[in-house]
Amino acid sequence: MPSILVFGHKNPDNDAISAAIGYAYLKNELAKKNGEDVTYEAVRLGGLPPETEWILSENGIETPRLIEGVGEGDKVILVDHSEALQSAEGLENAEIVEIIDHHRLGGLTTAQPLRYNAMPVGSTCAIVAREFGIEGIEMPKAIAAVLLGAMLTDTVIMKSPTTTNFDRDIIAKTAEFVGVDPVEYGMSIFKCRSNPAELPVDKIVNADAKEFELSNGNKVYIGQFETVDLQAVLGREAEIREAIKALVAEKGYQFVLFFATDILAEGSQFICEGDTEFVNKVFGIDVTGKSVWMPGVLSRKKQVAAPILAA
Ligand SMILES: [Mn+2]
């Protein structure tokens, strides 16, 4: 039976993995209903975030298979991204049959027409949950719990400015169905993340980092680490700075911007190496050689990457 791969971006976060699981489930149910001879497999392009590992095991859901890249003529569905830089190796030789996303358009082009389902909302999983309703496919409680977890991590428990009324509404309905309080459930997910005092530094820096291309053609790397223990992350500042300095040197990034987001204090601490002047200008700060607290900054997409890419 032909198989279609469903995957989120490199350095997957909880939304990237959960959206692939939820959407592959939905597409398989639809294929059964319509008598189509095709299967959809959720796969991943990197390690499982600790909170995803916990949610999947709590709900008895299998971990998606890790793939290195995609091959010539493979059919794929991209979730939670639409940028080649953030996607599978070999994507240019694959056929993208669908994209389901909540990010900017990132320059991908396709040879074939495709289904493109994008909304400027807080998580890809919220769009996936909406599709169950549209298609009239029943959502098992385990899938609902996985999707809900990602709606809560991607919106930082609805505190991120990316959160819309659509997100609040679908989070409330899904939480009621699962039988949990969304804020309590969200906090338990954030708390099960590893202790930043004990993590290897590359896990802190690369856990949730994305490459972007500036209008001058240079690449930059923007990493975020969301935590309920900012002081533990800042205790590692010297190591983090060394690690991102090494990334600038090895990968030729114009700059690497790492920010640790304190989800309780609702702000982020910026640490930057490389062309810090660029970042200083964009945000009107001085992050050269020192870290800077940015109150209210919770969203990479909307509050960090967007102003950098517009500069
Ligand atoms: Mn997302």
Side-chain angles (χ1 to χ4, degrees):
M1 205 187 289
S3 175
I4 296 177
L5 300 174
V6 185
F7 53 85
H9 50 82
K10 282 180 187 160
N11 294 338
D13 62 2
N14 192 33
D15 193 33
I17 305 257
S18 303
I21 290 170
Y23 202 52
Y25 177 86
L26 171 69
K27 295 294 286 185
N28 280 323
E29 290 302 301
L30 273 176
K32 270 188 239 163
K33 188 171 141 187
N34 300 329
E36 287 163 10
D37 183 35
V38 59
T39 59
Y40 296 83
E41 187 194 2
V43 294
R44 61 190 164 95
L45 303 181
L48 273 193
E51 68 271 23
T52 314
E53 207 175 309
W54 178 71
I55 296 169
L56 295 187
S57 84
E58 285 283 298
N59 290 284
I61 290 180
E62 221 177 291
T63 299
R65 181 168 62 91
L66 178 70
I67 61 166
E68 296 295 328
V70 293
E72 181 88 47
D74 283 355
K75 289 190 184 208
V76 303
I77 294 177
L78 308 186
V79 300
D80 201 36
H81 71 298
S82 72
E83 306 205 26
L85 266 185
Q86 297 164 5
S87 198
E89 302 303 322
L91 186 70
E92 63 282 5
N93 303 315
E95 184 189 343
I96 302 169
V97 294
E98 282 191 44
I99 298 176
I100 177 159
D101 191 24
H102 70 137
H103 294 87
R104 66 167 194 150
L105 281 174
L108 262 188
T109 58
T110 62
Q112 301 290 334
L114 77 163
R115 182 170 198 261
Y116 187 75
N117 182 0
M119 292 171 74
V121 297
S123 69
T124 299
C125 281
I127 310 174
V128 171
R130 175 178 183 252
E131 287 297 301
F132 277 81
I134 292 171
E135 299 290 358
I137 297 290
E138 206 178 309
M139 194 190 289
K141 261 204 177 123
I143 295 285
V146 168
L147 294 176
L148 177 64
M151 293 182 216
L152 292 167
T153 51
D154 243 37
T155 60
V156 194
I157 319 181
M158 297 175 278
K159 286 178 189 171
S160 167
T162 57
T163 314
T164 65
N165 286 334
F166 167 78
D167 295 293
R168 287 182 198 100
D169 187 50
I170 207 151
I171 285 170
K173 281 182 186 144
T174 314
E176 197 187 340
F177 176 59
V178 175
V180 293
D181 174 82
V183 175
E184 276 172 26
Y185 186 57
M187 281 307 290
S188 64
I189 292 170
F190 275 103
K191 279 184 183 147
C192 87
R193 285 189 175 178
S194 316
N195 177 356
E198 290 163 5
L199 276 178
V201 71
D202 75 290
K203 290 262 182 214
I204 296 176
V205 168
N206 297 302
D208 182 11
K210 291 180 180 175
E211 274 188 351
F212 296 91
E213 194 173 297
L214 301 179
S215 53
N216 63 11
N218 289 346
K219 284 179 191 164
V220 301
Y221 195 64
I222 307 176
Q224 181 175 21
F225 187 85
E226 288 159 339
T227 183
V228 290
D229 190 358
L230 182 65
Q231 285 318 310
V233 181
L234 295 182
R236 312 283 300 276
E237 183 177 335
E239 283 171 82
I240 291 168
R241 195 173 284 289
E242 279 315 305
I244 65 176
K245 211 185 250 180
L247 278 170
V248 170
E250 282 161 26
K251 308 260 185 159
Y253 294 125
Q254 184 166 332
F255 60 81
V256 174
L257 174 60
F258 169 84
F259 62 109
T261 298
D262 185 329
I263 69 165
L264 302 174
E266 301 187 29
S268 295
Q269 191 88 14
F270 279 20
I271 302 174
C272 189
E273 286 292 333
D275 182 9
T276 53
E277 280 307 315
F278 188 101
V279 175
N280 288 344
K281 228 180 264 169
V282 169
F283 296 97
I285 55 175
D286 180 9
V287 77
T288 308
K290 54 178 183 271
S291 68
V292 174
W293 173 248
M294 303 287 284
V297 171
L298 296 169
S299 165
R300 170 175 44 209
K301 192 189 285 112
K302 213 164 181 163
Q303 295 169 294
V304 182
I308 285 172
L309 293 166

